[in-house]
Amino acid sequence: MGFVKDNGLSIIHLLLLFITNHVCATTAETKVDFIFGEEIPQDVANNGRLTLDNYLSRYPVPVSEDQIKSLQKNIPNLMRQAAEPFGYFDCVCKSSIAKKESWQVTIHCKMPNVSTISDISIQVQGPGKAAIEADLAKNPIAIQPNSIFSALK
């Protein structure tokens, strides 16, 4: 039994070359760990992590120090955007970076009072009024007066 050869390399050699390159590429990637202060609500931290990961996805790996510094300059705006869907419209964030085995980005934010819904008024006009009002009676909207604003409702 022989191995099929292509340009003098056996399939086993090609597999070993692929595995070696994959392992080297994986270990060469520089990981970025985001550490959020306890003052940041978990929903905001989760959305912030997604937003920051999305920002970093524009860069090739490994992530360089210049790219991390670029991220750090944008963290106040990116975290403000991540907080808005949860009712925090004026948070002020700052960050620090440290290089260990991975980049560690620590984020702290001053979270203002969360926005609340004070009043809701729905007025329906037109030929579908009866159907819409019947639907609203069967399925009330999730937003209620004095509830915390959330874009997820």
Side-chain angles (χ1 to χ4, degrees):
M1 294 177 112
F3 292 103
V4 177
K5 293 188 175 195
D6 182 40
N7 294 333
L9 294 175
S10 70
I11 292 176
I12 290 178
H13 285 114
L14 290 173
L15 270 172
L16 288 173
L17 184 63
F18 171 77
I19 291 169
T20 303
N21 285 341
H22 178 71
V23 169
C24 290
T26 302
T27 57
E29 292 180 12
T30 303
K31 187 177 176 191
V32 179
D33 292 319
F34 297 109
I35 301 164
F36 295 89
E38 292 180 11
E39 74 280 5
I40 302 172
Q42 192 60 50
D43 288 342
V44 175
N46 292 341
N47 199 34
R49 182 173 280 106
L50 290 172
T51 302
L52 298 171
D53 282 340
N54 185 45
Y55 180 90
L56 283 176
S57 71
R58 69 180 70 194
Y59 297 124
V61 289
V63 178
S64 72
E65 184 173 354
D66 287 340
Q67 292 162 339
I68 289 293
K69 287 181 178 179
S70 173
L71 170 69
Q72 187 179 24
K73 289 178 188 173
N74 286 286
I75 282 177
N77 186 46
L78 294 170
M79 285 302 297
R80 187 171 32 260
Q81 292 172 6
E84 286 178 357
F86 301 97
Y88 297 95
F89 289 93
D90 293 317
C91 70
V92 178
C93 301
K94 62 181 181 176
S95 63
S96 61
I97 56 174
K99 177 72 165 114
K100 298 184 179 179
E101 287 184 21
S102 62
W103 285 105
Q104 289 186 343
V105 180
T106 303
I107 301 166
H108 290 281
C109 298
K110 290 181 182 177
M111 305 300 291
N113 291 333
V114 66
S115 298
T116 57
I117 306 297
S118 60
D119 187 38
I120 299 171
S121 175
I122 299 174
Q123 297 178 355
V124 182
Q125 297 177 355
K129 180 178 180 178
I132 293 170
E133 288 175 342
D135 188 51
L136 285 172
K138 290 179 191 173
N139 305 306
I141 58 173
I143 300 171
Q144 298 297 320
N146 301 317
S147 64
I148 294 174
F149 172 85
S150 175
L152 304 177
K153 292 182 180 182

